[in-house]
Amino acid sequence: MKINWLLHRLKKMSIGEITERLVEHASITISRFKYRNIAAWPFDRFVRKDTKLVIRKLPSVSCPSDINWENIKFYNLRFDLTKNINWNFANDSGAKWPSTHYSRINYRPGNPYGDIRINWELNRLQFLPAMMKSDEALALKIIDDWMNNNPFCHGPAYIASMEVALRWISIYRAVCSAKKTLMPSFRNRLTGLAIASGKLIEQKLSTHSSAGNHLIVESVGLFWVAAGLEGSRIGNRWKQKARKLLWREIINQIHPDGSGREQSFWYLGFVLDAILHYYQLEDGHIIPEQVNRRVTAALSFVKEMILPDGRYPDFGDRDDGYVFRSWVNPETYPYLHLLETGRTFFNNDLIEDELQPAATGSGQIDLKRQTYPHGGMTLVQKGMGRILFRHADLGLEPLFGHGHADALSTLFWWDDQPVLIDLGSGQYNGDQGLRDYFRSTIAHNTVEIGGENQAAIYGPFMWDDSYHTTLHYAQDSPHCWLCASHDGYLKNFKTIHERSLEWIDAQQLKINDCFWGPGGISFKGAFHLGECNSIDLVQNVLIAKFSNFSFSITFPRSVTVNLFYGSSDPFLGWRSTVYGNWTPCYTIIYDGMLEKEHTHTLKLGINQL
C-alpha cells in the first residue's frame, strides 16, 4: 500500500518538484546528523550577533479572565495545564510519541500511536495569549517548559512546518502582551527559538503540488518570525520571502468570487484567519489591490454562507484548527469573530451582501440567489428556507487533498435549523476507513453509482483526479430552478449524473435526478438529517419532526428506502461536529437499479407545526 501511494504521489509531481524534494530530504538527513546531540543545541545557540527579539505592540484582544486552566479541552481530551505537561502524548491510554528526530517518527496511517493531529493541537500553544492575560506567570512557565522539553528537530511538534509557524505566532503574541519585562536569558532563548523556527519553516515550505492552506499559514508564520527579528539581515530576508509567497498564494487559493479552491469552508476560514494575521503586521499601503480584492471577496463569501449565530455549511475537510481565538473552546463557531476582525482592515461597505434579490412569477421580491461560478455552488434563500447546491469540482489540484466527493450535494436549512447536512470530517490519520467514509459520495446528500465514489481515493490527502461539473442553468421564473451535472461516473459506467432542484414554493421542493447512460447499474442515494426530535418511515414517505416544523421526503416507489442511526455495520448514520469525534445522526439510503436514461423525482416538503 505504501509503494502504491508513493507511485501515485510521484505522478502528481513535476521533475522540478521531485528535484526540490530530494534536496529537502538531503537537508533533513543532514539535520538528523547535525542535531543528534540535543544537549549541544540549546535555542540560544541559534542567536546571531545582529539579532535580538523585538517586542512589538500588537492589537489588544479581549480574552476571558475566568478560564479554568486545570480543565482545558483539546478535541475530546482534557488537560490540566497547571501541572507538568506531557508534550509527546498520543492518546488517553498513556501512549507517547517518540522524542527522536522528527524524520524518524512514523505518523502516517497505520502507525502505532494514533492520530498525530491530536498531539499537534496541544503543541500549537494557542491558549498562551489568553493565559498571559489571566495568569502571566503560568504562561511564561509553560513557554520555558516547552523549550526545555522540545529540543530543536526532536519530537512530534516539528514534523510539520505549519505547526512550527502556528506555535511561533502563539508564543510571540503572548510574550508581546507580557506586563513584566522578560529576563535577558529567557528573551535570548526566545530569539534563538525564532531563528530556529524560521529555518525549519523555510526548509520545509509546502510548495508545488503540496501548496494549499499549509503554505499560506507557513508564510504568515515566517512573516511573524521576521517581525520578531525586525532589523536583522535574516529577518529582512524572511519578510520579503513570506510577503512574495503570500501575495501569490492568496491569488492562487482564493477565487475571484471569494470561495476557496480547496473546496473546504473550514479551511477557507483558516486561511482568512492567517491572512488577517499577516495584515496585522504589514504596511497596508504596499499590499497589491488584487490581493485586497480577493480577501474582501472571501470575507463577503463567508458572511453570506454563515447563519446568524455563526453556524456554517460544513462542506469539505475540517479539523477545527485556527490561528488565534480570544477563547479556547474548540466548539465555538469562529466566523463572526473573523468578520469582525476583517472589518478592522477594510471598510464595511467592502464586505457586502452578495445575494441578489430576484423577482418571482408573482413579481414579489421574496427570493435571493447567488451563484459562485468559480467555487461551484449556488446559495438560495426563499422565505424561511435556505439551500446550498454544490456543483463544484473536487478541489485544489493536483492532490485535491481537502475536497470531498460531494458533487450535486444539496444542503437545506429551515428557520435557521440544519435539515439536510454535511457530516463533517471525522479524523485524518487514524482509521482510514473512517477517513474515507466521511469524504465519500455516500456521506453526502447526492447519489453514488455502482458502489463507487465520484472520484478514486489514493491516500488520506490525495485523490486520483477530479470529476468535472457543469451548471446548466439557474433561473428564478416561474420558480427557482437550478440544474447541474457531473462526469465522475462517465469513465467507469458511461453515465452522466444530472440533478435539478425546483423550489416550487417556500415549503415545496423537487429534486429531479437524471442519469444519462446505458442503465443496468446499481445506485444509492443518501440524505443526512440534522438534529430532529423524531422520524418515521412509512413505505416510501419519510417524515422528520424538528422543533417547530416537520420535514418530509417522498421517494419514488421504484427504490428501496432504509434508515440508519449510529450503525456500525455498515458504518452509516454518523456525523462529526468536532474533529476526532462522531455522534449518531439519521441517514436515509435509497437504492435501486438504473434503467437506460433513467430519471426519478424526490419531493421534499415543510409543514409548519
Side-chain angles (χ1 to χ4, degrees):
M1 180 65 180
K2 187 175 181 180
I3 295 297
N4 188 46
W5 175 88
L6 180 60
L7 291 174
H8 284 121
R9 185 66 182 87
L10 288 171
K11 287 171 62 177
K12 301 278 190 179
M13 301 167 71
S14 66
I15 297 299
E17 179 178 3
I18 292 173
T19 301
E20 186 173 307
R21 295 305 175 206
L22 288 174
V23 172
E24 178 185 318
H25 280 283
S27 299
I28 292 171
T29 301
I30 291 170
S31 81
R32 195 159 60 206
F33 176 80
K34 181 177 181 179
Y35 302 116
R36 67 191 184 281
N37 181 6
I38 58 176
W41 286 96
F43 286 111
D44 52 15
R45 182 172 173 178
F46 292 90
V47 178
R48 304 181 180 189
K49 290 183 179 180
D50 70 329
T51 58
K52 65 177 182 178
L53 188 68
V54 177
I55 302 299
R56 306 169 63 96
K57 185 176 181 180
L58 298 177
S60 61
V61 293
S62 58
C63 298
S65 59
D66 58 347
I67 300 173
N68 180 10
W69 299 112
E70 297 179 1
N71 186 24
I72 295 298
K73 186 177 181 181
F74 296 101
Y75 294 137
N76 59 339
L77 298 174
R78 295 187 180 275
F79 290 82
D80 183 349
L81 299 183
T82 66
K83 297 181 178 179
N84 291 336
I85 299 171
N86 175 14
W87 299 109
N88 287 34
F89 88 96
N91 53 53
D92 54 5
S93 67
K96 296 172 63 175
W97 291 93
S99 296
T100 186
H101 190 278
Y102 70 85
S103 64
R104 295 184 181 275
I105 299 175
N106 173 20
Y107 67 96
R108 301 291 185 183
N111 73 75
Y113 309 104
D115 187 351
I116 188 66
R117 181 64 184 83
I118 308 298
N119 174 273
W120 286 346
E121 188 68 16
L122 172 66
N123 275 283
R124 289 180 177 184
L125 305 180
Q126 292 173 322
F127 54 85
L128 281 176
M131 182 181 282
M132 190 66 79
K133 283 184 171 291
S134 65
D135 193 337
E136 183 170 312
L138 179 59
L140 293 173
K141 179 183 176 182
I142 286 178
I143 296 172
D144 183 67
D145 182 69
W146 192 92
M147 289 192 289
N148 288 334
N149 289 283
N150 291 274
F152 185 57
C153 284
H154 285 71
Y158 293 100
I159 290 173
S161 53
M162 184 178 77
E163 300 306 311
V164 178
L166 288 168
R167 183 163 51 251
W168 175 253
I169 293 172
S170 302
I171 292 173
Y172 189 58
R173 180 186 282 276
V175 298
C176 283
S177 64
K179 295 178 181 178
K180 296 181 180 179
T181 302
L182 302 178
M183 295 291 291
S185 60
F186 182 72
R187 184 165 176 168
N188 198 49
R189 292 172 68 208
L190 285 173
T191 305
L193 177 62
I195 296 172
S197 298
K199 282 178 174 291
L200 196 58
I201 294 169
E202 183 179 37
Q203 181 189 48
K204 297 176 61 184
L205 287 167
S206 303
T207 53
H208 296 286
S209 64
S210 296
N213 66 81
H214 279 233
L215 184 53
I216 285 182
V217 176
E218 289 160 1
S219 300
V220 172
L222 192 61
F223 196 87
W224 271 62
V225 169
L229 304 173
E230 189 172 26
S232 67
R233 182 181 301 175
I234 195 170
N236 291 337
R237 181 172 68 81
W238 282 341
K239 179 173 286 190
Q240 292 301 322
K241 183 168 190 172
R243 183 181 282 148
K244 183 179 179 181
L245 284 169
L246 280 168
W247 292 353
R248 184 190 74 196
E249 290 305 313
I250 289 171
I251 300 300
N252 184 50
Q253 295 190 40
I254 298 178
H255 288 304
D257 61 15
S259 58
R261 285 187 65 193
E262 287 195 295
Q263 289 300 335
S264 161
F265 191 79
W266 183 272
Y267 280 108
L268 176 63
F270 186 45
V271 161
L272 277 173
D273 192 4
I275 292 169
L276 294 177
H277 274 73
Y278 161 64
Y279 273 73
Q280 283 185 19
L281 300 184
E282 181 60 288
D283 177 1
H285 295 93
I286 71 170
I287 300 176
E289 186 55 35
Q290 187 180 14
V291 171
N292 286 328
R293 285 199 298 270
R294 291 297 172 93
V295 176
T296 54
L299 289 167
S300 294
F301 177 79
V302 167
K303 180 183 176 185
E304 291 307 320
M305 286 288 158
I306 64 174
L307 296 174
D309 63 358
R311 282 177 294 174
Y312 53 94
D314 197 14
F315 59 82
D317 269 352
R318 167 181 53 80
D319 72 348
D320 300 329
Y322 54 90
V323 180
F324 170 75
R325 291 186 195 168
S326 59
W327 56 89
V328 292
N329 180 2
E331 299 180 33
T332 306
Y333 311 122
Y335 295 100
L336 295 175
H337 178 75
L338 191 67
L339 291 175
E340 182 182 345
T341 303
R343 290 189 180 97
T344 65
F345 297 104
F346 304 103
N347 295 329
N348 284 345
D349 58 354
L350 291 178
I351 306 175
E352 301 175 311
D353 289 343
E354 292 291 338
L355 288 182
Q356 302 299 319
T360 62
S362 64
Q364 296 178 349
I365 310 296
D366 67 348
L367 182 146
K368 294 183 178 181
R369 172 182 54 81
Q370 177 67 27
T371 293
Y372 297 89
H374 302 95
M377 63 197 85
T378 297
L379 180 63
V380 186
Q381 295 182 21
K382 184 178 177 67
M384 298 171 68
R386 180 182 179 96
I387 285 177
L388 180 63
F389 186 36
R390 298 269 302 146
H391 43 85
D393 291 350
L394 194 50
L396 182 62
E397 66 278 357
L399 301 182
F400 316 101
H402 285 302
H404 288 193
D406 66 343
L408 311 189
S409 179
T410 306
L411 306 180
F412 178 62
W413 297 259
W414 183 264
D415 195 17
D416 291 338
Q417 296 184 56
V419 179
L420 298 179
I421 63 171
D422 194 290
L423 298 182
S425 296
Q427 47 77 47
Y428 289 166
N429 296 302
D431 184 336
Q432 282 306 285
L434 290 171
R435 169 68 174 144
D436 292 347
Y437 170 72
F438 280 105
R439 58 185 176 146
S440 69
T441 298
I442 202 65
H444 298 84
N445 302 311
T446 185
V447 179
E448 170 198 273
I449 296 177
E452 296 185 6
N453 291 317
Q454 297 162 343
I457 294 172
Y458 273 179
F461 296 99
M462 181 168 59
W463 297 79
D464 175 17
D465 201 358
S466 177
Y467 41 77
H468 296 289
T469 59
T470 302
L471 178 65
H472 299 291
Y473 52 80
Q475 64 188 48
D476 306 313
S477 181
H479 51 255
C480 178
W481 199 340
L482 313 174
C483 182
S485 65
H486 77 88
D487 64 0
Y489 294 113
L490 185 60
K491 180 179 179 180
N492 291 348
F493 301 111
K494 298 181 174 57
T495 299
I496 296 287
H497 177 200
E498 178 183 285
R499 169 169 282 189
S500 67
L501 304 180
E502 295 183 68
W503 205 339
I504 300 168
D505 62 43
Q507 296 175 224
Q508 295 184 66
L509 300 94
K510 287 172 60 177
I511 296 179
N512 305 297
D513 283 315
C514 302
F515 303 90
W516 307 109
I521 308 162
S522 64
F523 75 90
K524 287 183 180 180
F527 288 111
H528 307 278
L529 298 184
E531 188 173 347
C532 55
N533 298 328
S534 65
I535 190 165
D536 291 305
L537 178 60
V538 180
Q539 294 182 340
N540 66 326
V541 179
L542 177 137
I543 299 177
K545 292 185 179 180
F546 290 77
S547 59
N548 59 345
F549 63 91
S550 65
F551 171 72
S552 65
I553 306 175
T554 302
F555 297 91
R557 296 188 180 276
S558 59
V559 304
T560 300
V561 184
N562 288 288
L563 183 64
F564 297 89
Y565 184 83
S567 169
S568 58
D569 186 17
F571 189 86
L572 288 168
W574 297 92
R575 67 179 301 193
S576 175
T577 57
V578 177
Y579 180 85
N581 192 28
W582 37 93
T583 56
C585 72
Y586 287 107
T587 287
I588 304 99
I589 301 293
Y590 59 99
D591 61 84
M593 294 293 294
L594 295 180
E595 300 173 355
K596 183 178 180 180
E597 298 186 354
H598 180 101
T599 299
H600 63 243
T601 298
L602 308 162
K603 297 179 181 179
L604 282 61
I606 292 288
N607 181 32
Q608 205 71 34
L609 299 179

